[in-house]
Amino acid sequence: MTASTAAPLTAPRVLSLIPPMTQLNTPYPSTAYLTGFLRSRGVDARQDDLALRLVLELFSPAGLDALRDKLRAMPPKKRSATLTQFDAEFDRYRATVTPTLAFLQGRDPTLAHRITSRMLLPEGPRFASLDVYYDPDGGDPLAWAFGALGVQDKARHLATLYLNDLADVLREAADERFEFVRYAESLAMAQPSFEPLARALAAPPTLVDDTLQRLTLDTLARHAPQVVLLSVPFPGSVYAAFRIAQTIKAANPSIVTVLGGGFVNTELRELTEPRVFDHFDFITLDDGERPLLALLEHLAGKRGKSRLVRTYLREEGQVRYLNLAEPDVPFAEVGTPTWDGLPLDGYLSILDMLNPMHRLWSDGRWNKLTVAHGCYWKKCSFCDVSLDYIGRYDTASAELLVDRIEAVVAETGQTGFHFVDEAAPPKMLKALADELARRGRTISWWGNIRFEKSFTPELCRQLADSGCIAISGGLEVASDRLLKLMQKGVSVDQVARVTKGFSDAGILVHAYLMYGFPTQTVQDTVDALEYVRQLFDAGCIQSGFFHRFVCTVHSPVGQKPEDFGVRLKPLPPISFAKNDVGFIDPTGVDHDALGVALNKALYNYMHGIGLDQDVRSWFDMKVPKTRVPRNFISRALGY
């Protein structure tokens, strides 16, 4: 079927799918948003999570049997120590995989005692990481992280290492592209040509591909959809989405397949590759509500093709983009997300990184909700402010937000929320806290903010009372010069005061940090690390992560590089994905080498280690002495 020959569909059943891979601990929210919205408009909308189902199938007794068959088909000389260890202890792996996953799903918590005994699970190469915590006195090497009573957490960490061992075996023996949070990412990320993806789709299927195909056919049989929506938030879910669509078209070409999501919205805005439409009938950009309403009307014969909204299709062998100007559905009218149909009791709470904020991303099932659409600031020069998901700011009332919260709690039985805003506005958070207090509603929540002065100590305490347990925010490069160049609208001393207010209210504070920004010098980097050291030492932040700056074509840096003192490297001809773009910085700094030291220092600071050391001690190269006074943060805090 092509877009031009589609037969009218009356009241089509719509199935939204989460393709591998996204998260293991909680559903990616896009299908929940779309399913809730479509149901509010009378559409028979359903959803499923093939990412989770794939993992549960691969890491089951039958899945391990199939994996061992693949391993034993390999020549012995090609088997690594990882594969040899798995084969030698296969019976133990097969016997423990089901109870271990049940433990990680929260269905068998008492197994923690056996897991922490270190006698139940076979231990492969991933357990070597525990040597980092070796106790020369013969004590528990993980006591520093979990203490004597942290049995559940310790067991979850050990079970996660066990699962990572199995993933390593799968990668070596069956599919080198597999990872838990991304799958075949390199085939899609900033990939100018569709050719690598096309070759992978034409290649013989791997064990992972075969399993995904079987799960896709089972899902089609259960739901009998006429339209299938595949939401791809990241490059690491694109290949699997195409494999799913390929399976659907082979099984029933009349099913309409639609591609959307964050990856599409950022990287496929200049799509000209017709072969994409061998798998997908339509591709929609930006928020899906309005394009999907138009598309469903078109499929039902109620709207002409020329009146589609933000939609790609193939016509006479060429890619065509149709965009009738219609207003987006207001944020207040998008409905309440629903998790109905998703296997909520099957998600895995894993604990691979001991960073306290990263743990929130991977441990526990959080209801994901949005306080406001877009970003109220939308000025940061490194951010994709030209795109709709950031540039179009729209809010709803606090009463409506709490109505949605109450509906989600009633459906899921769980009161934990992750607010997934780019930057939750302080005015809305205060109104939300007021309304939660008025209704006497108890929840726990965390999310991302800007470290701006509106977050007074009084507001921080009110947010803590409303259920806020953690916040993250972008400090980026802790340098007033670079913060001004970035148009962050904050200063280092302001960040210190705001983060201290949150910390004093008992809220965990995580700082997003950046290195390699245009014109950032070695001196800037050393000074930034000194600011970060002082913020940890003063108890302003408890967690952080350094990201390498990446220039994107949709950001102010990518659109006006001359304003930031850099030149962009030329891109090849683009027919598929376009996002990242290299640049030439006249400073010539080796940021990759500096990044090793930054992350080493940060890891130690999070554990209270090295806070009294000169920051130069973390670098393997000679770097200049910091220009930052050692009491800068304490003075900013009024000490």
Side-chain angles (χ1 to χ4, degrees):
M1 189 203 77
T2 65
S4 59
T5 61
L9 297 174
T10 57
R13 178 176 298 129
V14 178
L15 173 63
S16 297
L17 295 177
I18 303 173
M21 298 296 296
T22 51
Q23 287 179 266
L24 294 181
N25 65 308
T26 197
Y28 193 79
S30 56
T31 66
Y33 289 172
L34 289 176
T35 302
F37 169 73
L38 291 173
R39 288 184 181 180
S40 74
R41 299 302 176 100
V43 176
D44 182 1
R46 307 181 183 193
Q47 60 185 329
D48 207 342
D49 188 340
L50 288 184
L52 177 65
R53 294 196 188 279
L54 176 66
V55 168
L56 296 181
E57 182 73 14
L58 290 171
F59 300 104
S60 66
L64 295 191
D65 288 342
L67 182 56
R68 183 176 62 168
D69 290 343
K70 289 289 184 183
L71 184 160
R72 290 189 170 177
M74 297 172 62
K77 63 181 180 181
K78 289 190 176 181
R79 298 180 194 172
S80 68
T82 298
L83 299 185
T84 301
Q85 186 266 344
F86 170 75
D87 195 25
E89 299 203 60
F90 177 77
D91 290 342
R92 289 183 66 197
Y93 278 110
R94 195 181 193 282
T96 54
V97 67
T98 297
T100 300
L101 289 184
F103 167 73
L104 290 173
Q105 290 167 330
R107 295 189 289 112
D108 192 6
T110 58
L111 191 68
H113 298 280
R114 292 201 64 195
I115 292 174
T116 55
S117 74
R118 305 285 296 276
M119 301 297 290
L120 175 67
L121 303 181
E123 297 189 358
R126 289 284 188 153
F127 284 78
S129 64
L130 300 181
D131 293 342
V132 175
Y133 318 125
Y134 172 70
D135 184 345
D137 297 324
D140 183 352
L142 289 177
W144 70 271
F146 303 112
L149 300 178
V151 174
Q152 291 290 322
D153 284 351
K154 189 191 304 183
R156 193 149 37 241
H157 183 55
L158 294 171
T160 301
L161 294 177
Y162 165 92
L163 206 56
N164 286 335
D165 272 332
L166 290 177
D168 291 342
V169 173
L170 177 64
R171 200 157 31 248
E172 289 191 42
D175 194 331
E176 64 182 5
R177 303 166 301 192
F178 179 84
E179 293 184 55
F180 279 128
V181 295
R182 59 182 65 89
Y183 180 35
E185 182 180 61
S186 63
L187 295 175
M189 185 170 60
Q191 186 63 255
S193 169
F194 185 67
E195 189 59 33
L197 190 53
R199 286 197 302 268
L201 292 168
T206 65
L207 173 64
V208 177
D209 295 330
D210 282 335
T211 307
L212 183 58
Q213 180 185 51
R214 187 169 68 253
L215 292 170
T216 300
L217 294 174
D218 174 69
T219 302
L220 294 180
R222 283 189 290 111
H223 295 287
Q226 285 84 46
V227 178
V228 174
L229 310 179
L230 283 148
S231 178
V232 288
F234 314 116
S237 55
V238 172
Y239 169 75
F242 273 82
R243 274 291 189 187
I244 292 168
Q246 185 183 57
T247 299
I248 292 172
K249 287 303 181 187
N252 187 348
S254 69
I255 296 176
V256 177
T257 51
V258 186
L259 181 68
F263 169 82
V264 175
N265 299 339
T266 54
E267 302 212 21
L268 297 190
R269 304 193 78 89
E270 298 181 23
L271 178 67
T272 60
E273 174 55 74
R275 289 178 293 174
V276 169
F277 296 90
D278 293 342
H279 310 281
F280 291 98
D281 297 294
F282 302 96
I283 297 177
T284 65
L285 291 182
D286 299 326
D287 281 4
E289 288 85 1
R290 182 61 69 192
L292 284 176
L293 288 180
L295 178 57
L296 293 177
E297 289 180 5
H298 168 62
L299 296 175
K302 300 177 182 178
R303 176 185 286 244
K305 181 172 56 183
S306 63
R307 300 183 66 239
L308 291 174
V309 178
R310 296 196 301 272
T311 300
Y312 286 108
L313 52 80
R314 181 172 62 187
E315 196 170 51
E316 298 180 354
Q318 299 297 313
V319 177
R320 187 179 177 194
Y321 181 62
L322 300 169
N323 186 17
L324 178 69
E326 288 190 8
D328 274 291
V329 176
F331 181 64
E333 298 176 16
V334 297
T336 301
T338 177
W339 281 263
D340 178 47
L342 297 176
L344 295 185
D345 61 349
Y347 289 90
L348 306 170
S349 288
I350 61 175
L351 185 51
D352 53 353
M353 296 183 67
L354 301 182
N355 177 309
M357 192 69 183
H358 287 174
R359 173 177 179 172
L360 292 179
W361 285 96
S362 63
D363 185 14
R365 204 202 69 72
W366 299 92
N367 298 311
K368 293 181 183 282
L369 206 61
T370 307
V371 174
H373 182 283
C375 178
Y376 66 97
W377 179 251
K378 55 189 174 188
K379 295 180 183 179
C380 298
S381 57
F382 54 83
C383 196
D384 292 343
V385 295
S386 64
L387 298 185
D388 177 80
Y389 80 98
I390 291 175
R392 182 169 60 84
Y393 180 62
D394 189 14
T395 64
S397 69
E399 292 80 8
L400 180 57
L401 289 174
V402 178
D403 286 345
R404 291 174 179 173
I405 286 172
E406 291 182 336
V408 170
V409 172
E411 178 183 271
T412 66
Q414 297 181 338
T415 60
F417 285 83
H418 174 199
F419 296 142
V420 294
D421 301 69
E422 295 300 313
K427 182 178 179 180
M428 286 302 305
L429 289 179
K430 184 182 189 311
L432 183 64
D434 288 337
E435 184 63 15
L436 287 168
R438 188 183 72 80
R439 299 193 195 187
R441 170 61 68 177
T442 299
I443 66 169
S444 302
W445 63 268
W446 57 287
N448 199 54
I449 64 161
R450 295 181 63 250
F451 293 131
E452 63 165 74
K453 60 185 178 181
S454 300
F455 288 106
T456 62
E458 293 75 22
L459 178 55
C460 293
R461 288 192 291 271
Q462 183 184 6
L463 296 181
D465 289 340
S466 77
C468 181
I469 59 171
I471 56 96
S472 58
L475 174 53
E476 318 310 348
V477 178
S479 156
D480 284 336
R481 178 185 77 83
L482 290 174
L483 287 172
K484 184 176 181 180
L485 185 62
M486 291 176 177
Q487 297 190 63
K488 281 291 294 183
V490 299
S491 62
V492 176
D493 57 349
Q494 177 181 313
V495 168
R497 290 189 289 270
V498 171
T499 53
K500 193 65 166 66
F502 278 108
S503 293
D504 287 347
I507 296 171
L508 173 72
V509 181
H510 174 88
Y512 288 114
L513 302 161
M514 182 185 296
Y515 65 101
F517 192 76
T519 72
Q520 183 176 353
T521 64
V522 174
Q523 183 71 66
D524 289 328
T525 301
V526 173
D527 291 347
L529 185 57
E530 173 61 18
Y531 284 127
V532 170
R533 182 196 68 79
Q534 293 186 31
L535 288 168
F536 271 101
D537 196 37
C540 296
I541 60 178
Q542 295 78 43
S543 176
F545 190 79
F546 271 106
H547 301 259
R548 179 76 150 85
F549 169 75
V550 175
C551 181
T552 68
V553 295
H554 308 295
S555 68
V557 176
Q559 294 181 342
K560 292 187 176 181
E562 63 278 4
D563 291 351
F564 302 89
V566 297
R567 290 186 296 113
L568 300 185
K569 295 180 179 178
L571 289 170
I574 305 289
S575 60
F576 187 54
K578 180 181 181 182
N579 190 42
D580 301 354
V581 56
F583 62 94
I584 300 171
D585 189 331
T587 60
V589 175
D590 184 355
H591 294 293
D592 290 335
L594 295 174
V596 174
L598 295 175
N599 284 297
K600 184 194 304 182
L602 198 61
Y603 179 85
N604 282 275
Y605 292 164
M606 283 190 292
H607 298 120
I609 300 170
L611 289 170
D612 56 350
Q613 292 179 206
D614 189 315
V615 294
R616 289 176 292 180
S617 65
W618 301 108
F619 295 88
D620 293 332
M621 66 199 79
K622 186 175 182 180
V623 295
K625 182 179 180 180
T626 181
R627 299 169 300 188
V628 179
R630 285 186 70 83
N631 62 346
F632 180 91
I633 295 299
S634 60
R635 282 188 315 182
L637 296 174
Y639 297 162

